[in-house]
Amino acid sequence: MAIKSKPKAKSKKKALPKKPFVIDFHGHIVNPKVFELTQKNSLHSRIGLGKQTSLGGDKHSQRTMQAMLDIDVRLKDMDRMGIDMQVISPSLIHHNTEPMAPSRALKIVQRVNDSVAEAVSDHPDRLAGIGIVPLQDAKLSAKELDRMVKKLDLRGVQISTIVRGDEIGDKKFLPFWRKAEQLDVPVFIHPAGNSDPRLKKFGLAFMVGQPYEEALAMSSLVYEGVMDKFPKLKILVAHGGGYLPYYAGRQDNAYRAGRDGGTLKGSFSSYIRKFHYETVVFNPDMLDFLATKVSVKNIVMGTDYPFGESNPISFIRKTKKLSSAQQDAILGKNAARLLKIKI
């Protein structure tokens, strides 16, 4: 008599972890018609590289410019990188209106902001937008910020680190900061470039100049009292905050010794924790370190598209000290909360 074998129990497949909704906070866009008007103010032109980049013959530069101009290229790149939504912001490297008269600059930034809003309206499930302002006139900037948020439904504003030699913490800019706090929208600090002749060679204007500018901008906002006057401000700094979060101990030491000349309401590092940051630092261990200096809730994923991180999800996953839940929050949840986007 043959012995019947027992039917094999069906093996249960392990459920794959649910992919988090991924938001890229840092994606540049260029309005080609406006760039014709602002090209001479771009960092490329200011350091003598205007003909070699952006509109020149260099293949890499042509590819990056195409990515900032062509939404279809952008969407394909987002799909390749696993990005569900990108926050597009006008490139201040290209759309620098600082030298212009405020009234002229206002007309230009309005054209740029309108084009950002149009791109978002065409792809509302894939894109969100933030605009720019003519910060050389703080009152005009406050009005444009009001327009872009209430009429264009843009989610925030991007500003540079210095305006006509004035640091952004200067009292002349208080009307702008007041409006940003009232509207409860993030202010994204991204340099328009440092054209110091010492930084002209080897791309240092971008590699060293940008994080240097961010460190100065954050210092200005702290020491000039903007962070104390407007405690509900949401300020997000590009490129992981530049150099400052990784060397704030020097300013902490000056504060303890009473040598900084400021009237701070705590250590300098206590202010560092009030800012928000994105992840374009390129080394996972530096992101790990940043998360020891500030709350993980204040860190959002960024790519610096189309110039920076090309595999952002893998980059976040390579961190060793962040839990999976923390990584997921950085990949999307934190940005969604900051921008008031339902995911």
Side-chain angles (χ1 to χ4, degrees):
M1 179 177 175
I3 300 175
K4 294 183 179 180
S5 60
K6 293 182 179 180
K8 292 182 179 179
K10 292 182 179 179
S11 60
K12 293 183 179 180
K13 292 184 178 179
K14 287 186 177 181
L16 295 174
K18 186 179 179 181
K19 175 186 175 296
F21 191 88
V22 177
I23 300 176
D24 174 14
F25 198 97
H26 189 171
H28 294 293
I29 191 169
V30 167
N31 180 311
K33 294 294 184 182
V34 172
F35 185 41
E36 292 176 5
L37 304 175
T38 59
Q39 184 183 4
K40 64 181 180 181
N41 303 326
S42 70
L43 179 58
H44 303 128
S45 294
R46 285 185 284 140
I47 61 177
L49 296 176
K51 294 182 179 179
Q52 298 176 38
T53 62
S54 299
L55 295 179
D58 180 79
K59 289 184 179 180
H60 176 72
S61 296
Q62 288 183 338
R63 174 62 176 81
T64 55
M65 179 55 74
Q66 182 188 25
M68 290 189 288
L69 297 174
D70 192 326
I71 295 296
D72 288 336
V73 171
R74 180 185 303 271
L75 295 175
K76 288 178 182 178
D77 286 344
M78 288 170 57
D79 290 341
R80 175 179 53 78
M81 292 187 283
I83 295 169
D84 296 296
M85 177 173 283
Q86 186 177 77
V87 183
I88 53 174
S89 54
S91 172
L92 289 177
I93 292 289
H94 299 82
H95 292 318
N96 181 7
T97 63
E98 178 189 336
M100 298 178 175
S103 58
R104 173 66 170 156
L106 177 62
K107 291 179 181 178
I108 288 178
V109 302
Q110 286 180 332
R111 288 179 62 183
V112 174
N113 293 338
D114 289 347
S115 65
V116 171
E118 182 180 356
V120 172
S121 67
D122 288 342
H123 304 278
D125 58 330
R126 303 301 306 274
L127 303 176
I130 59 178
I132 56 177
V133 292
L135 202 53
Q136 55 267 51
D137 188 312
K139 292 182 179 179
L140 280 182
S141 294
K143 289 181 179 179
E144 176 59 12
L145 180 55
D146 197 72
R147 184 187 82 94
M148 72 170 71
V149 172
K150 294 180 179 179
K151 292 187 177 181
L152 302 182
D153 196 29
L154 298 186
R155 300 287 171 155
V157 60
Q158 178 185 220
I159 66 169
S160 187
T161 53
I162 188 169
V163 184
R164 295 185 173 182
D166 294 317
E167 302 294 339
I168 57 175
D170 191 282
K171 62 182 180 181
K172 67 175 60 178
F173 301 122
L174 292 182
F176 165 79
W177 293 113
R178 185 176 296 110
K179 176 60 71 172
E181 186 183 55
Q182 289 173 354
L183 292 172
D184 191 33
V185 293
V187 179
F188 183 36
I189 295 178
H190 188 296
N194 186 313
S195 54
D196 186 325
R198 295 178 67 197
L199 303 178
K200 182 176 179 179
K201 290 184 177 181
F202 310 116
L204 296 181
F206 300 92
M207 292 186 292
V208 174
Q210 298 292 72
Y212 169 74
E213 287 293 325
E214 287 145 1
L216 288 175
M218 293 174 68
S219 296
S220 172
L221 293 172
V222 172
Y223 288 124
E224 298 290 350
V226 170
M227 303 301 287
D228 289 329
K229 287 185 179 73
F230 307 109
K232 295 181 180 180
L233 273 175
K234 298 175 179 177
I235 301 177
L236 192 149
V237 191
H239 313 125
Y243 291 131
L244 201 54
Y246 314 94
Y247 204 53
R250 189 169 180 86
Q251 278 156 288
D252 285 335
N253 182 64
Y255 167 78
R256 290 191 294 267
R259 293 197 304 265
D260 60 13
T263 54
L264 307 185
K265 296 180 179 180
S267 68
F268 190 86
S269 283
S270 70
Y271 287 86
I272 290 292
R273 290 188 281 275
K274 297 180 181 181
F275 291 91
H276 298 256
Y277 305 85
E278 46 90 308
T279 60
V280 184
V281 294
F282 300 105
N283 291 336
D285 60 332
M286 295 309 296
L287 180 55
D288 274 327
F289 180 81
L290 179 62
T292 68
K293 304 298 290 185
V294 306
S295 171
V296 171
K297 293 180 180 179
N298 282 21
I299 303 175
V300 303
M301 193 273 282
T303 62
D304 203 351
Y305 179 85
F307 306 103
E309 183 59 57
S310 60
N311 198 348
I313 297 176
S314 175
F315 172 76
I316 303 297
R317 296 301 188 199
K318 286 179 181 177
T319 56
K320 295 181 179 179
K321 298 181 180 179
L322 297 173
S323 68
S324 295
Q326 289 175 320
Q327 292 174 353
D328 287 352
I330 290 172
L331 283 169
K333 294 177 183 177
N334 293 345
R337 183 182 66 252
L338 190 64
L339 296 163
K340 300 176 185 176
I341 295 173
K342 293 182 179 180
I343 60 174

